[in-house]
Amino acid sequence: MTETVLANARLVLPGEVVTGSLRIAGGDIAAIDTGMAVPAGALDCEGDYLAPGLIELHTDNLERHMQPRPGVKWPQKAAVIAHDAELASVGITTVFDALRVGSILSNDRSRHGKYARDLTRHILDLRSAGRLRISHFLHLRAEICSETLLEELEEFVPEDRIGILSLMDHTPGQRQFRDLSKFAEYLTGKYGMSREDIDAHFEGLYALKTRYGARHETGAVDHARRLGAVLASHDDTRSEDVETSAAHGCRLAEFPTTEEAAEACRASGIAVMMGAPNLLRGGSHSGNVGAGVLAEQGLLDILSSDYAPSALLMGAVRLGLETQDMAAGLRTVTAAPAAVAGLSDRGRIAPGLRADLVRFSLAEGLPITRAAWSRGHRVA
């Protein structure tokens, strides 16, 4: 059995940071020792941090690789491979790739065509062939305001590694986009929509919510149970929204938009996830509550890189430095997401767990990824 020893590292353990070494055997962490000694044949980490590999529960990064510019469609397998390599390079060793399900087919100008089933097949094929560097699960973003949500969900089976299903309701004037001007600004910036296009888009979403909203929400919850997926809410705003989420059985709240909603999540035992870009930028691009505000109130459990993979480690380190507790900062991207996703084999440095690891140093408060391992194999 091949063994690897990583020595003279600042090990980020669940509750503390200690100088020591760890031994990897058979893809798992075999042993941990303290001290600065570097045994013969060991890799000297030179005092760098050595943390569990990061766990990303929600990222739109794959979609960015699929369409690197407006109107440009990239081959899906090539997009998956590039996305996988990018995540490995910033220390992410487990990802729940967020794929939209629910399309709008009756509107020729719609930018919401069907793609999730084909992309899932490519991800699973590449995984089976051993072509991917890190561990991939799927996160289905169930678009309530669509025409084909339930039909698309029917195409998935439990064997598809669907780890999370989130309820996405983008009806204008509520949740993420309570401020219609912010929604219009987003659509103009991302899709180049004119004012006429935006007005038509809003009217179409209102009509879809009226026609399909209740049936789609109930059906998506049922499919999450069928697939064995963790159910997540998205952009809860009022305590009433959280009551509905709790009644559905949600275990994760993605990006609650107010302190009121975050407090209600805490009272209901629902983990709160916020965007690392929100934390790093000092606020939400949609004008909603800042991740930093929730962190100060003790209402932030998990960070997500959302649209910027490098933000995940940066955000966790920022929390660690600000609280002078690096172990707590890193828990938001390791142990906490592992727990909510039901992954008991990773997310902590402990004997018997997967040797998913990231080595990083700090320069002016910013993390520099030096190396990453997935199941003991160096992937970056």
Side-chain angles (χ1 to χ4, degrees), residues 290-343:
V293 172
L294 297 188
E296 290 173 0
Q297 299 297 322
L299 297 172
L300 172 62
D301 300 304
I302 297 169
L303 284 177
S304 162
S305 69
D306 198 3
Y307 55 85
S310 63
L312 196 60
L313 183 55
M314 290 171 64
V317 166
R318 169 76 66 84
L319 288 176
L321 293 175
E322 289 182 348
T323 61
Q324 298 184 15
D325 188 344
M326 192 62 71
L330 268 292
R331 280 199 299 273
T332 64
V333 297
T334 56
V340 79
L343 299 176

Side-chain angles (χ1 to χ4, degrees), residues 16-230:
E16 60 181 340
V17 177
V18 301
T19 297
S21 63
L22 63 80
R23 180 164 54 88
I24 300 170
D28 295 332
I29 299 170
I32 299 171
D33 293 305
T34 58
M36 299 173 62
V38 181
L43 173 63
D44 185 354
C45 291
E46 302 175 330
D48 289 343
Y49 287 97
L50 189 64
L54 312 187
I55 298 173
E56 174 59 78
L57 299 185
H58 175 124
T59 174
D60 303 332
N61 191 58
L62 178 52
E63 290 183 343
R64 180 175 65 82
H65 280 282
M66 290 169 56
Q67 187 173 332
R69 285 189 177 181
V72 175
K73 291 186 178 180
W74 208 251
Q76 289 188 342
K77 278 194 174 181
V80 173
I81 291 169
H83 162 67
D84 172 72
E86 181 180 0
L87 297 191
S89 74
V90 293
I92 297 170
T93 56
T94 298
V95 61
F96 288 71
D97 293 315
L99 313 181
R100 175 183 48 77
V101 284
S103 305
I104 301 174
L105 305 179
S106 60
N107 181 355
D108 290 341
R109 293 181 298 179
S110 171
R111 294 159 176 81
H112 296 89
K114 177 182 173 183
Y115 72 89
R117 180 64 259 180
D118 286 344
L119 185 56
T120 294
R121 175 171 54 81
H122 290 313
I123 293 170
L124 296 179
D125 286 349
L126 288 167
R127 176 180 176 272
S128 296
R131 301 289 187 254
L132 299 178
R133 303 180 186 212
I134 68 172
S135 181
H136 287 255
F137 296 88
L138 299 180
H139 173 162
L140 298 183
R141 303 166 66 245
E143 290 288 350
I144 302 301
C145 291
S146 66
E147 295 171 328
T148 63
L149 174 59
L150 300 186
E151 292 84 351
E152 290 189 40
L153 285 173
E154 286 286 354
E155 298 178 344
F156 292 89
V157 296
E159 292 73 25
D160 287 327
R161 290 170 66 87
I162 310 300
I164 299 172
L165 188 149
S166 56
L167 303 173
M168 313 284 288
D169 186 350
H170 288 118
T171 304
Q174 64 165 39
R175 294 182 178 262
Q176 180 182 4
F177 291 113
R178 288 176 294 162
D179 185 336
L180 292 179
S181 67
K182 290 288 187 181
F183 199 178
E185 182 181 315
Y186 170 82
L187 293 171
T188 299
K190 185 168 183 178
Y191 299 113
M193 284 189 179
S194 67
R195 184 69 250 183
E196 181 182 12
D197 291 336
I198 290 169
D199 290 341
H201 183 63
F202 283 1
E203 289 304 315
L205 291 178
Y206 291 136
L208 289 171
K209 178 62 178 293
T210 299
R211 183 175 181 181
Y212 296 107
R215 183 162 66 91
H216 278 182
E217 186 168 335
T218 299
V221 171
D222 290 341
H223 277 291
R225 295 193 185 104
R226 177 181 66 84
L227 295 168
V230 171

